[in-house]
Amino acid sequence: MSYRVCLVCLGNICRSPMAEVVLRSTLADHGLGDLVSVDSAGTGGWHQGHPMDDRAAATLAEHGYDGSLHRARQFLAPWFGEIDLVLAMDNDNLRALRRLAPPGADVRLLRSFDPAAPEGAEVPDPYYDGRESFTEVLEMVKAASEGLAKHLAAVLR
């Protein structure tokens, strides 16, 4: 793997693991699966070791993705030395990551790679909402993953 991406939300049980699974699949579809490593983490550590939220896993499964191997973990500042691109799901997590980041670290919002998303668009936290919110998150993640795959294809080839 020559390029590493880490997707980050608050607890690493909903948005970022969904994005990890989708991005990994999208990169494989674009022939980049062997060139890019994809991980996820949370800015908070209270879910460490837990599997993905059942609703997130079910939403992924309904759309042909498998999130069963995921276990939550907390993002740590030393990881910046190993990761090329850190993608936050929302502005709160973006600010938290930028506080940890060394100068020059590439930290952005995931939806900045979706050409149809407005500037500053976030992936909202579906945790306290119904199942339809997880489907909406999945659609946002899929669109951003396509844009990111196209960006990485241009950068890495």
Side-chain angles (χ1 to χ4, degrees), residues 23-75:
L23 180 58
R24 192 175 289 129
S25 175
T26 303
L27 291 169
D29 291 346
H30 284 264
L32 299 170
D34 292 336
L35 299 175
V36 182
S37 170
V38 181
D39 290 312
S40 67
T43 54
W46 49 90
H47 294 296
Q48 286 188 92
H50 295 181
M52 189 181 303
D53 180 279
D54 290 341
R55 297 163 297 172
T59 301
L60 286 173
E62 288 167 7
H63 292 86
Y65 300 99
D66 181 9
S68 63
L69 297 179
H70 176 75
R71 293 299 175 265
R73 59 195 191 135
Q74 184 174 6
F75 189 92

Side-chain angles (χ1 to χ4, degrees), residues 131-142:
R131 279 290 300 277
E132 66 280 349
S133 294
F134 286 85
T135 302
E136 291 170 8
V137 163
L138 179 62
E139 293 307 314
M140 291 175 193
V141 164
K142 286 168 63 175

Side-chain angles (χ1 to χ4, degrees), residues 1-12:
M1 303 282 176
S2 62
Y3 195 88
R4 296 184 62 153
V5 176
C6 187
L7 300 137
V8 183
C9 66
L10 188 59
N12 194 220

